[in-house]
Amino acid sequence: MKKITRREFLGNSPVAIAGASTIIAGFEPSEKIKAEGKISVSSNDRIHIALIGCGGMGKADLKSFLRMNEIECLAIADVDEKHLAEGIKIVEETRSRKPDGYRDFRRIMDRRDIDAVIVATPDHWHALPVIYACQTGKDVYVEKPLATSIKEGRVMVNAAHRNNRIVQVGTQQRSAKHFQDAVRYVKSGHLGKIRLVRSWTYLDWKGGLGNPLDCEPPPEVDYDFWLGPAPKRPFNPARFHFTFRWFWDYSGGLMTDWGAHMVDVVMWAMSEDPIGAMAIGGKYGFPDDIMETPDTQQSIVEFPGFSLLWEHMIGCGVGPWQREHGVEFHGSNGILVVDRKGWEVHSETDKLGRPDRIYRMKAVPRQEGSWDYHFYHVKNFIECMKTREKPVSEISFGHKAATVCHLANIAVRLRRYISWDPEKEKVVGDTEAQKLVGRKYRSPWVLPEI
Ligand SMILES: NC(=O)c1ccc[n+]([C@@H]2O[C@H](COP(=O)([O-])OP(=O)(O)OC[C@H]3O[C@@H](n4cnc5c(N)ncnc54)[C@H](O)[C@@H]3O)[C@@H](O)[C@H]2O)c1
Protein backbone atom coordinates (compact mmCIF):
# COMPACT_ATOMS: atom_id res chain seq x y z
CA MET A 1 0.00 0.00 0.00
CA LYS A 2 1.35 3.43 -0.94
CA LYS A 3 2.24 5.43 2.13
CA ILE A 4 0.51 8.76 2.10
CA THR A 5 2.47 11.72 3.32
CA ARG A 6 1.19 14.08 5.93
CA ARG A 7 1.23 16.86 3.33
CA GLU A 8 -0.98 14.83 0.97
CA PHE A 9 -3.39 14.17 3.80
CA LEU A 10 -3.69 17.80 4.59
CA GLY A 11 -3.81 19.01 1.00
CA ASN A 12 -6.94 20.51 -0.41
CA SER A 13 -7.82 17.74 -2.85
CA PRO A 14 -9.33 14.52 -1.54
CA VAL A 15 -6.59 11.90 -1.40
CA ALA A 16 -6.72 8.17 -1.30
CA ILE A 17 -7.44 6.94 2.14
CA ALA A 18 -6.98 3.32 1.34
CA GLY A 19 -5.83 4.42 3.79
CA ALA A 20 -7.19 6.11 6.52
CA SER A 21 -5.38 3.72 8.82
CA THR A 22 -2.03 4.45 7.11
CA ILE A 23 -2.63 8.12 7.55
CA ILE A 24 -3.77 7.77 11.07
CA ALA A 25 -0.89 5.43 11.86
CA GLY A 26 1.49 8.09 10.59
CA PHE A 27 -0.45 10.72 12.41
CA GLU A 28 1.21 11.81 15.60
CA PRO A 29 -1.20 12.23 18.45
CA SER A 30 -0.33 14.83 21.04
CA GLU A 31 1.69 13.90 24.14
CA LYS A 32 -1.44 14.32 26.20
CA ILE A 33 -3.39 11.83 24.09
CA LYS A 34 -0.46 9.43 24.01
CA ALA A 35 -0.09 9.48 27.78
CA GLU A 36 -3.75 9.14 28.66
CA GLY A 37 -5.32 7.55 25.64
CA LYS A 38 -7.85 10.35 25.89
CA ILE A 39 -8.11 14.05 26.35
CA SER A 40 -9.48 14.86 29.74
CA VAL A 41 -10.57 18.41 29.98
CA SER A 42 -10.36 19.71 33.52
CA SER A 43 -13.28 21.69 34.81
CA ASN A 44 -11.21 24.89 34.65
CA ASP A 45 -10.00 24.43 31.08
CA ARG A 46 -11.39 26.37 28.19
CA ILE A 47 -12.73 23.95 25.62
CA HIS A 48 -11.55 24.41 22.06
CA ILE A 49 -13.99 23.31 19.40
CA ALA A 50 -14.20 23.31 15.60
CA LEU A 51 -17.25 23.13 13.37
CA ILE A 52 -17.40 20.99 10.21
CA GLY A 53 -20.39 21.88 8.03
CA CYS A 54 -21.81 25.33 8.62
CA GLY A 55 -25.27 25.18 7.06
CA GLY A 56 -28.61 25.48 8.85
CA MET A 57 -27.94 23.05 11.69
CA GLY A 58 -24.20 23.72 11.93
CA LYS A 59 -24.97 27.35 12.72
CA ALA A 60 -27.64 26.37 15.26
CA ASP A 61 -25.22 23.97 16.96
CA LEU A 62 -22.45 26.56 16.98
CA LYS A 63 -24.72 29.15 18.63
CA SER A 64 -25.66 26.70 21.38
CA PHE A 65 -22.00 25.88 22.05
CA LEU A 66 -21.08 29.57 22.15
CA ARG A 67 -23.67 30.22 24.86
CA MET A 68 -21.14 28.65 27.23
CA ASN A 69 -18.34 31.05 28.16
CA GLU A 70 -15.79 28.25 28.43
CA ILE A 71 -16.15 27.45 24.70
CA GLU A 72 -13.70 28.84 22.18
CA CYS A 73 -14.29 28.02 18.49
CA LEU A 74 -10.88 27.84 16.83
CA ALA A 75 -11.79 26.65 13.35
CA ILE A 76 -14.62 26.10 10.89
CA ALA A 77 -14.58 24.00 7.72
CA ASP A 78 -17.09 24.18 4.90
CA VAL A 79 -16.92 23.51 1.16
CA ASP A 80 -19.19 26.51 0.59
CA GLU A 81 -17.29 29.77 1.13
CA LYS A 82 -20.49 31.67 1.82
CA HIS A 83 -21.51 29.35 4.64
CA LEU A 84 -17.96 29.41 5.97
CA ALA A 85 -18.00 33.21 6.15
CA GLU A 86 -21.37 33.14 7.93
CA GLY A 87 -19.98 30.77 10.56
CA ILE A 88 -16.87 32.87 11.10
CA LYS A 89 -19.08 35.93 11.57
CA ILE A 90 -21.14 34.18 14.26
CA VAL A 91 -17.97 33.47 16.25
CA GLU A 92 -16.56 36.96 15.71
CA GLU A 93 -19.74 38.50 17.06
CA THR A 94 -19.46 36.68 20.39
CA ARG A 95 -15.71 36.17 20.83
CA SER A 96 -12.68 38.38 20.34
CA ARG A 97 -10.80 35.68 18.43
CA LYS A 98 -11.53 34.97 14.75
CA PRO A 99 -11.63 31.25 13.95
CA ASP A 100 -9.53 29.80 11.12
CA GLY A 101 -11.55 28.89 8.06
CA TYR A 102 -10.89 25.80 5.92
CA ARG A 103 -12.38 24.24 2.85
CA ASP A 104 -10.86 20.86 3.73
CA PHE A 105 -12.02 19.56 7.11
CA ARG A 106 -8.93 17.33 7.34
CA ARG A 107 -6.90 20.42 8.25
CA ILE A 108 -8.82 20.41 11.54
CA MET A 109 -7.86 16.80 12.26
CA ASP A 110 -4.18 17.72 12.32
CA ARG A 111 -4.62 20.35 15.00
CA ARG A 112 -3.70 19.37 18.50
CA ASP A 113 -5.29 22.41 20.10
CA ILE A 114 -8.82 21.27 19.22
CA ASP A 115 -10.60 19.18 21.86
CA ALA A 116 -13.87 18.51 20.05
CA VAL A 117 -15.53 18.85 16.66
CA ILE A 118 -19.14 19.41 15.71
CA VAL A 119 -20.03 17.47 12.54
CA ALA A 120 -23.07 19.04 10.87
CA THR A 121 -22.44 18.11 7.25
CA PRO A 122 -25.09 16.36 5.13
CA ASP A 123 -25.64 12.73 6.22
CA HIS A 124 -23.34 11.22 3.56
CA TRP A 125 -20.49 13.25 5.05
CA HIS A 126 -20.91 12.23 8.72
CA ALA A 127 -18.89 9.02 8.83
CA LEU A 128 -15.38 10.04 7.74
CA PRO A 129 -15.06 13.26 9.78
CA VAL A 130 -16.33 11.43 12.88
CA ILE A 131 -13.94 8.51 12.37
CA TYR A 132 -10.92 10.77 11.71
CA ALA A 133 -11.78 12.91 14.72
CA CYS A 134 -11.95 9.86 16.97
CA GLN A 135 -8.67 8.58 15.59
CA THR A 136 -6.97 11.91 16.22
CA GLY A 137 -8.11 12.20 19.82
CA LYS A 138 -11.04 14.56 19.52
CA ASP A 139 -14.49 14.21 21.05
CA VAL A 140 -17.42 14.65 18.69
CA TYR A 141 -20.91 16.13 18.58
CA VAL A 142 -22.40 14.66 15.39
CA GLU A 143 -25.76 15.49 13.91
CA LYS A 144 -28.46 12.89 13.42
CA PRO A 145 -29.06 10.59 11.59
CA LEU A 146 -25.74 9.05 12.56
CA ALA A 147 -24.95 7.84 9.04
CA THR A 148 -26.36 6.95 5.64
CA SER A 149 -25.87 3.22 6.18
CA ILE A 150 -25.84 0.68 9.01
CA LYS A 151 -22.28 -0.35 8.12
CA GLU A 152 -20.99 3.24 8.37
CA GLY A 153 -22.71 3.56 11.76
CA ARG A 154 -21.00 0.40 13.03
CA VAL A 155 -17.55 1.63 11.95
CA MET A 156 -18.23 5.00 13.62
CA VAL A 157 -19.26 3.33 16.89
CA ASN A 158 -16.12 1.17 16.82
CA ALA A 159 -13.90 4.18 16.08
CA ALA A 160 -15.43 6.06 19.04
CA HIS A 161 -15.20 3.18 21.51
CA ARG A 162 -11.74 1.93 20.54
CA ASN A 163 -10.32 5.43 20.88
CA ASN A 164 -12.17 6.19 24.14
CA ARG A 165 -13.94 9.17 22.63
CA ILE A 166 -17.04 10.93 23.90
CA VAL A 167 -19.45 11.09 20.97
CA GLN A 168 -22.87 12.70 21.37
CA VAL A 169 -25.43 12.36 18.55
CA GLY A 170 -27.68 15.37 17.88
CA THR A 171 -30.88 13.64 19.03
CA GLN A 172 -31.58 16.47 21.44
CA GLN A 173 -34.97 15.12 22.57
CA ARG A 174 -32.97 12.96 25.03
CA SER A 175 -32.08 16.16 26.89
CA ALA A 176 -35.69 17.34 27.19
CA LYS A 177 -37.10 16.81 30.68
CA HIS A 178 -40.58 15.99 29.39
CA PHE A 179 -39.23 13.26 27.08
CA GLN A 180 -37.23 11.89 30.03
CA ASP A 181 -40.37 11.87 32.21
CA ALA A 182 -42.43 10.19 29.48
CA VAL A 183 -39.80 7.49 28.92
CA ARG A 184 -39.54 6.90 32.68
CA TYR A 185 -43.32 6.43 32.77
CA VAL A 186 -43.20 3.91 29.91
CA LYS A 187 -40.40 2.00 31.65
CA SER A 188 -42.33 1.98 34.96
CA GLY A 189 -44.65 -0.71 33.59
CA HIS A 190 -47.84 1.24 34.42
CA LEU A 191 -49.01 0.95 30.82
CA GLY A 192 -49.02 -2.87 31.07
CA LYS A 193 -47.64 -4.99 28.26
CA ILE A 194 -46.76 -2.73 25.35
CA ARG A 195 -47.44 -4.54 22.09
CA LEU A 196 -47.69 -1.68 19.64
CA VAL A 197 -45.61 1.46 19.36
CA ARG A 198 -46.61 3.94 16.74
CA SER A 199 -44.40 6.79 15.62
CA TRP A 200 -44.97 9.34 12.90
CA THR A 201 -44.01 12.59 11.24
CA TYR A 202 -46.40 14.54 9.03
CA LEU A 203 -44.52 17.55 7.73
CA ASP A 204 -46.57 20.30 6.22
CA TRP A 205 -43.53 21.59 4.40
CA LYS A 206 -43.56 22.98 0.92
CA GLY A 207 -42.94 19.43 -0.22
CA GLY A 208 -42.41 19.42 -3.92
CA LEU A 209 -39.03 20.51 -5.22
CA GLY A 210 -40.23 20.65 -8.81
CA ASN A 211 -37.83 19.57 -11.48
CA PRO A 212 -34.92 21.99 -11.67
CA LEU A 213 -32.34 21.31 -14.39
CA ASP A 214 -28.74 20.34 -13.79
CA CYS A 215 -26.45 23.36 -14.00
CA GLU A 216 -23.02 24.67 -13.00
CA PRO A 217 -22.40 24.65 -9.24
CA PRO A 218 -22.14 28.06 -7.56
CA PRO A 219 -18.57 29.40 -7.89
CA GLU A 220 -18.10 29.60 -4.13
CA VAL A 221 -18.72 25.84 -3.73
CA ASP A 222 -16.27 22.93 -4.10
CA TYR A 223 -18.95 20.63 -5.48
CA ASP A 224 -16.74 17.57 -5.92
CA PHE A 225 -15.81 17.79 -2.25
CA TRP A 226 -19.48 18.28 -1.34
CA LEU A 227 -20.22 14.98 -3.14
CA GLY A 228 -17.25 13.31 -1.43
CA PRO A 229 -17.91 9.57 -1.13
CA ALA A 230 -21.28 9.85 -2.95
CA PRO A 231 -21.53 9.01 -6.68
CA LYS A 232 -20.32 11.66 -9.13
CA ARG A 233 -23.11 13.48 -10.98
CA PRO A 234 -23.78 16.92 -12.41
CA PHE A 235 -24.79 19.64 -9.97
CA ASN A 236 -28.50 20.12 -9.38
CA PRO A 237 -29.78 22.82 -6.99
CA ALA A 238 -32.41 20.45 -5.57
CA ARG A 239 -29.81 17.83 -4.64
CA PHE A 240 -27.86 20.27 -2.49
CA HIS A 241 -28.13 22.36 0.66
CA PHE A 242 -30.93 21.22 2.95
CA THR A 243 -32.96 19.29 0.33
CA PHE A 244 -30.18 16.67 -0.05
CA ARG A 245 -32.39 14.79 2.48
CA TRP A 246 -34.76 13.66 -0.24
CA PHE A 247 -32.10 11.78 -2.28
CA TRP A 248 -30.80 8.27 -1.62
CA ASP A 249 -27.17 9.18 -2.42
CA TYR A 250 -27.00 11.58 0.51
CA SER A 251 -29.69 10.57 2.99
CA GLY A 252 -32.76 8.40 3.61
CA GLY A 253 -35.71 10.78 3.30
CA LEU A 254 -38.08 11.53 6.15
CA MET A 255 -37.67 7.96 7.46
CA THR A 256 -34.13 8.77 8.61
CA ASP A 257 -34.45 12.56 8.91
CA TRP A 258 -37.23 12.61 11.53
CA GLY A 259 -37.12 8.87 12.19
CA ALA A 260 -33.71 9.40 13.79
CA HIS A 261 -35.42 11.58 16.43
CA MET A 262 -38.71 9.76 16.94
CA VAL A 263 -37.50 6.15 16.62
CA ASP A 264 -34.74 7.08 19.08
CA VAL A 265 -37.45 7.67 21.71
CA VAL A 266 -38.88 4.22 20.96
CA MET A 267 -35.46 2.55 21.33
CA TRP A 268 -34.79 4.47 24.54
CA ALA A 269 -38.08 3.41 26.15
CA MET A 270 -38.35 -0.16 24.86
CA SER A 271 -34.73 -1.45 25.04
CA GLU A 272 -35.21 -4.18 22.39
CA ASP A 273 -33.40 -4.73 19.11
CA PRO A 274 -35.21 -5.12 15.76
CA ILE A 275 -35.45 -8.54 14.08
CA GLY A 276 -37.15 -7.56 10.82
CA ALA A 277 -38.85 -4.84 8.81
CA MET A 278 -41.30 -4.30 5.99
CA ALA A 279 -42.55 -1.10 4.41
CA ILE A 280 -44.52 0.43 1.59
CA GLY A 281 -44.44 3.96 0.28
CA GLY A 282 -43.90 6.13 -2.73
CA LYS A 283 -44.13 9.53 -4.29
CA TYR A 284 -47.92 9.70 -4.07
CA GLY A 285 -48.05 13.41 -3.19
CA PHE A 286 -45.47 14.64 -5.68
CA PRO A 287 -45.22 11.97 -8.39
CA ASP A 288 -43.49 14.16 -10.97
CA ASP A 289 -41.05 15.67 -8.55
CA ILE A 290 -37.27 15.25 -8.65
CA MET A 291 -37.30 14.03 -5.02
CA GLU A 292 -36.39 10.33 -4.80
CA THR A 293 -37.34 9.23 -1.28
CA PRO A 294 -41.01 8.42 -0.54
CA ASP A 295 -43.17 11.42 0.37
CA THR A 296 -45.52 8.88 1.95
CA GLN A 297 -44.33 5.80 3.81
CA GLN A 298 -45.56 3.24 6.32
CA SER A 299 -42.98 0.92 7.85
CA ILE A 300 -43.56 -1.95 10.26
CA VAL A 301 -40.52 -2.97 12.25
CA GLU A 302 -40.61 -6.25 14.13
CA PHE A 303 -39.13 -6.54 17.63
CA PRO A 304 -39.24 -9.71 19.78
CA GLY A 305 -42.07 -8.36 21.95
CA PHE A 306 -43.82 -5.62 19.99
CA SER A 307 -44.34 -4.03 16.57
CA LEU A 308 -43.28 -0.53 15.65
CA LEU A 309 -45.51 1.17 13.11
CA TRP A 310 -43.93 4.22 11.46
CA GLU A 311 -45.87 6.64 9.25
CA HIS A 312 -44.79 9.72 7.38
CA MET A 313 -46.18 12.17 4.86
CA ILE A 314 -44.54 15.24 3.37
CA GLY A 315 -46.98 18.02 2.51
CA CYS A 316 -49.59 17.11 5.18
CA GLY A 317 -49.42 18.25 8.78
CA VAL A 318 -51.96 16.26 10.80
CA GLY A 319 -51.00 12.80 11.98
CA PRO A 320 -52.40 10.45 14.64
CA TRP A 321 -53.65 12.14 17.84
CA GLN A 322 -53.89 15.39 15.81
CA ARG A 323 -50.13 15.80 16.08
CA GLU A 324 -47.66 16.39 13.29
CA HIS A 325 -45.12 14.11 14.94
CA GLY A 326 -45.07 11.87 17.96
CA VAL A 327 -44.70 8.48 19.57
CA GLU A 328 -47.59 6.43 20.97
CA PHE A 329 -46.87 3.55 23.35
CA HIS A 330 -49.92 1.30 23.45
CA GLY A 331 -50.03 -0.95 26.50
CA SER A 332 -52.79 -3.21 27.81
CA ASN A 333 -53.70 -0.64 30.49
CA GLY A 334 -53.25 2.60 28.65
CA ILE A 335 -51.62 4.68 25.97
CA LEU A 336 -48.89 7.26 26.39
CA VAL A 337 -48.49 9.86 23.65
CA VAL A 338 -45.47 12.15 23.53
CA ASP A 339 -44.20 14.82 21.16
CA ARG A 340 -42.08 17.96 21.45
CA LYS A 341 -44.96 19.87 23.03
CA GLY A 342 -45.73 17.45 25.87
CA TRP A 343 -47.10 14.06 26.88
CA GLU A 344 -50.19 12.50 28.36
CA VAL A 345 -51.66 9.10 29.18
CA HIS A 346 -55.08 7.81 28.11
CA SER A 347 -56.61 4.80 29.83
CA GLU A 348 -57.60 1.70 27.87
CA THR A 349 -61.22 0.59 27.89
CA ASP A 350 -62.24 -1.93 30.51
CA LYS A 351 -65.31 -3.29 28.77
CA LEU A 352 -64.81 -6.86 29.84
CA GLY A 353 -63.67 -6.07 33.37
CA ARG A 354 -60.74 -8.35 32.81
CA PRO A 355 -59.10 -9.54 36.02
CA ASP A 356 -55.64 -9.56 34.39
CA ARG A 357 -55.76 -5.80 34.13
CA ILE A 358 -54.17 -5.51 37.50
CA TYR A 359 -53.41 -1.84 37.21
CA ARG A 360 -56.60 0.11 36.57
CA MET A 361 -54.82 3.20 35.42
CA LYS A 362 -55.95 6.77 35.56
CA ALA A 363 -55.39 9.06 32.65
CA VAL A 364 -52.49 11.45 33.13
CA PRO A 365 -53.36 14.96 31.98
CA ARG A 366 -51.12 16.69 29.50
CA GLN A 367 -47.64 17.48 30.82
CA GLU A 368 -46.22 20.50 29.05
CA GLY A 369 -43.10 20.15 26.95
CA SER A 370 -39.77 21.50 28.08
CA TRP A 371 -37.86 24.04 26.01
CA ASP A 372 -34.26 24.93 25.25
CA TYR A 373 -33.30 21.26 25.25
CA HIS A 374 -30.91 21.67 22.33
CA PHE A 375 -28.76 23.79 24.64
CA TYR A 376 -29.01 21.21 27.43
CA HIS A 377 -27.95 18.53 24.97
CA VAL A 378 -24.82 20.47 24.04
CA LYS A 379 -24.20 21.16 27.75
CA ASN A 380 -24.46 17.46 28.53
CA PHE A 381 -21.81 16.78 25.87
CA ILE A 382 -19.44 19.34 27.39
CA GLU A 383 -19.99 17.96 30.89
CA CYS A 384 -19.24 14.43 29.64
CA MET A 385 -16.07 15.66 27.95
CA LYS A 386 -14.89 16.58 31.44
CA THR A 387 -16.17 13.56 33.39
CA ARG A 388 -15.64 11.01 30.55
CA GLU A 389 -19.10 9.63 31.36
CA LYS A 390 -21.51 8.44 28.67
CA PRO A 391 -23.47 11.33 27.17
CA VAL A 392 -27.27 10.97 26.98
CA SER A 393 -27.16 10.34 23.22
CA GLU A 394 -24.02 8.24 23.18
CA ILE A 395 -23.07 7.14 19.66
CA SER A 396 -24.30 3.56 20.11
CA PHE A 397 -27.83 4.88 20.85
CA GLY A 398 -27.72 6.96 17.67
CA HIS A 399 -26.60 3.85 15.80
CA LYS A 400 -29.51 1.79 17.14
CA ALA A 401 -32.12 4.35 16.10
CA ALA A 402 -30.54 4.84 12.67
CA THR A 403 -30.36 1.06 12.16
CA VAL A 404 -34.15 0.76 12.54
CA CYS A 405 -34.70 3.59 10.03
CA HIS A 406 -32.23 2.12 7.52
CA LEU A 407 -33.85 -1.33 7.79
CA ALA A 408 -37.25 0.20 7.02
CA ASN A 409 -35.71 1.98 4.03
CA ILE A 410 -34.12 -1.22 2.72
CA ALA A 411 -37.58 -2.80 2.93
CA VAL A 412 -39.29 0.10 1.14
CA ARG A 413 -36.68 0.09 -1.64
CA LEU A 414 -36.85 -3.67 -2.20
CA ARG A 415 -40.57 -3.91 -1.41
CA ARG A 416 -40.21 -6.99 0.79
CA TYR A 417 -39.79 -8.19 4.36
CA ILE A 418 -36.19 -7.99 5.58
CA SER A 419 -35.13 -10.42 8.28
CA TRP A 420 -32.42 -8.98 10.57
CA ASP A 421 -29.86 -10.48 12.93
CA PRO A 422 -29.21 -7.69 15.45
CA GLU A 423 -26.17 -9.43 17.00
CA LYS A 424 -24.29 -9.83 13.74
CA GLU A 425 -25.88 -6.70 12.22
CA LYS A 426 -26.62 -8.67 9.07
CA VAL A 427 -29.65 -9.35 6.89
CA VAL A 428 -30.71 -13.00 7.06
CA GLY A 429 -30.98 -14.85 3.72
CA ASP A 430 -31.17 -11.92 1.28
CA THR A 431 -27.94 -10.95 -0.51
CA GLU A 432 -29.52 -8.04 -2.37
CA ALA A 433 -30.77 -6.53 0.89
CA GLN A 434 -27.43 -7.19 2.60
CA LYS A 435 -25.73 -5.04 -0.06
CA LEU A 436 -27.84 -2.07 1.11
CA VAL A 437 -26.52 -2.46 4.67
CA GLY A 438 -23.40 -0.69 3.43
CA ARG A 439 -22.84 1.73 0.59
CA LYS A 440 -20.21 2.06 -2.07
CA TYR A 441 -17.74 4.91 -1.56
CA ARG A 442 -16.56 6.89 -4.56
CA SER A 443 -12.81 6.71 -4.97
CA PRO A 444 -10.59 8.04 -3.53
CA TRP A 445 -12.71 8.01 -0.37
CA VAL A 446 -12.70 4.77 1.61
CA LEU A 447 -14.62 3.74 4.70
CA PRO A 448 -11.95 2.18 6.92
CA GLU A 449 -12.45 -1.26 8.47
CA ILE A 450 -12.50 -0.76 12.23
N1 LIG B 1 -30.72 17.85 15.39
C1 LIG B 1 -31.65 18.37 14.61
O1 LIG B 1 -32.78 18.64 15.03
C2 LIG B 1 -31.32 18.65 13.18
C3 LIG B 1 -32.06 19.61 12.46
C4 LIG B 1 -31.69 19.86 11.14
C5 LIG B 1 -30.65 19.16 10.55
N2 LIG B 1 -29.98 18.21 11.27
C6 LIG B 1 -28.87 17.45 10.65
O2 LIG B 1 -27.77 18.31 10.42
C7 LIG B 1 -27.06 17.90 9.24
C8 LIG B 1 -26.95 19.09 8.30
O3 LIG B 1 -28.24 19.47 7.89
P1 LIG B 1 -28.56 20.96 7.37
O4 LIG B 1 -30.02 21.06 7.23
O5 LIG B 1 -27.84 21.92 8.24
O6 LIG B 1 -27.87 20.91 5.93
P2 LIG B 1 -27.24 22.11 5.09
O7 LIG B 1 -27.20 21.64 3.68
O8 LIG B 1 -27.94 23.38 5.42
O9 LIG B 1 -25.77 22.24 5.68
C9 LIG B 1 -24.74 21.32 5.47
C10 LIG B 1 -23.43 22.10 5.37
O10 LIG B 1 -22.34 21.17 5.27
C11 LIG B 1 -21.46 21.66 4.25
N3 LIG B 1 -20.65 20.56 3.75
C12 LIG B 1 -20.95 19.61 2.83
N4 LIG B 1 -19.91 18.78 2.65
C13 LIG B 1 -18.91 19.23 3.46
C14 LIG B 1 -17.57 18.78 3.70
N5 LIG B 1 -17.06 17.73 3.10
N6 LIG B 1 -16.84 19.48 4.59
C15 LIG B 1 -17.34 20.58 5.22
N7 LIG B 1 -18.59 21.06 5.01
C16 LIG B 1 -19.37 20.37 4.14
C17 LIG B 1 -22.37 22.29 3.22
O11 LIG B 1 -21.68 23.15 2.35
C18 LIG B 1 -23.37 23.01 4.13
O12 LIG B 1 -22.89 24.28 4.50
C19 LIG B 1 -27.86 16.75 8.65
O13 LIG B 1 -27.28 15.53 8.99
C20 LIG B 1 -29.23 16.90 9.28
O14 LIG B 1 -29.94 15.69 9.38
C21 LIG B 1 -30.28 17.97 12.58
Side-chain angles (χ1 to χ4, degrees), residues 17 105 109 125-133 229 441 445-448:
I17 40 167
F105 71 87
M109 301 305 162
W125 254 126
H126 285 183
L128 292 181
V130 170
I131 294 164
Y132 296 165
Y441 268 38
W445 301 104
V446 176
L447 180 71

Side-chain angles (χ1 to χ4, degrees), residues 51-59 61 77-81 83-84 102-105 119-126 129 141 143-145 170-172 221-222 225-228 240-245 251 256-257 261 340 374:
L51 168 65
I52 303 172
C54 192
M57 200 57 203
K59 286 195 262 281
D61 288 336
D78 202 300
V79 296
D80 181 332
E81 276 170 25
H83 285 188
L84 182 59
Y102 302 115
R103 182 161 57 100
D104 188 335
F105 71 87
V119 177
T121 41
D123 309 359
H124 69 288
W125 254 126
H126 285 183
Y141 185 98
E143 269 311 331
K144 49 51 61 178
T171 40
Q172 63 269 14
V221 172
D222 183 340
F225 209 160
W226 187 94
L227 282 174
F240 194 46
H241 291 331
F242 188 78
T243 45
F244 65 82
R245 297 161 158 69
S251 187
T256 55
D257 195 47
H261 282 305
R340 290 185 176 181
H374 182 267

